[in-house]
Amino acid sequence: DIQMTQSPSSLSASVGDRVTITCRASQSISSYLNWYQQKPGKAPKLLIYSTSNLQSGVPSRFSGSGSGTDFTLTISSLQPEDFATYYCQQSHSPPLTFGRGTRVEIK
Amino acid sequence: EVQLVESGGGLVQPGRSLRLSCAASGLSFDGYAMHWVRQAPGKGLEWVSGISWNSNRIDYADSVKGRFTISRDNARNSLSLQMNSLRPEDTALYYCAKDTSSYYYAVDVWGQGTTVTVSS
């Protein structure tokens, strides 16, 4: 099975900060990497699919990059509504696996 | 509007069975792969099982393989998860989720979840 390692597990940031979250796969997954945002008590929301494609309706301050085993989610200017937990997920081969999540908190 | 509504959760004793259902509306259900994803209290997301649009491809997480069975009825726009030999570690909120593709790609629609509690 492919293991997904996310870092950091949590971070504190201020509104307007640039935030970067990384995700590393235990083997190459090409570009089959998705990012989700989850707020407390809510279902996850797809932000980015296939490494860098912004899901419809997602603000352009979110972006993704990477390939192979190393991937990055960037929030260019953190907004109050972005405080949440973020998960990466590989869809290269089943079982599909998620990272353990990165909690973004208010500094 | 695409909607997924789960049902069937509840409190069950270890070793017993439970069947979850998911009713889909507002989409061409038979065009998409579907998934079950769970989240234990205070924990992260765990992919449980997936099924391709025509049921030709079915996969499970190692943690549930041999105990859980996913199925779909495209005529009824429904997805199911039969869970046998339940364990306390199966306690979680179970989400029904729609893929963007007919196979596995990304999940773009989630239900509200149904809670399964395994305890004596």
Side-chain angles (χ1 to χ4, degrees), chain A residues 1-4 6 36 38 42-44 85-90 94-101, chain B residues 6 20 34-50 59-65 67-68 70 81 83 86-97 107 110 113-114 116 118:
Chain A
D1 298 359
I2 299 174
Q3 309 303 317
M4 305 302 294
Q6 254 183 270
Y36 300 87
Q38 187 179 34
K42 300 293 186 181
T85 301
Y86 295 84
Y87 296 92
C88 62
Q89 180 209 32
Q90 66 85 14
L96 308 189
T97 41
F98 288 92
R100 299 185 72 167
Chain B
E6 303 94 336
L20 304 184
M34 297 293 294
H35 307 268
W36 289 99
V37 177
R38 70 185 181 184
Q39 188 167 34
K43 303 297 184 181
L45 301 172
E46 180 185 15
W47 181 85
V48 172
S49 181
D59 295 278
Y60 300 96
D62 292 345
S63 57
V64 306
K65 199 174 295 183
R67 300 187 299 122
F68 289 13
I70 191 172
L81 185 68
M83 305 186 295
L86 282 161
R87 305 167 179 169
E89 55 265 35
D90 295 319
T91 294
L93 181 64
Y94 284 73
Y95 291 105
C96 167
V107 173
W110 302 70
T114 187
V116 173
V118 184

Side-chain angles (χ1 to χ4, degrees), chain A residues 17-22 35 47-48 51 54 58-65 71-78 82 86:
Chain A
D17 284 353
R18 182 181 181 88
V19 169
T20 299
I21 299 168
T22 64
W35 290 97
L47 295 177
I48 290 173
T51 297
L54 207 61
V58 174
S60 60
R61 61 181 180 272
F62 290 93
S63 64
S65 63
F71 302 87
T72 299
L73 171 70
T74 300
I75 309 172
S76 60
S77 177
L78 198 66
D82 301 337
Y86 295 84

Side-chain angles (χ1 to χ4, degrees), chain A residues 24-32 51 66-71:
Chain A
R24 173 166 289 176
S26 59
Q27 65 189 74
S28 177
I29 57 171
S30 184
S31 63
Y32 294 96
T51 297
S67 68
T69 61
D70 295 311
F71 302 87

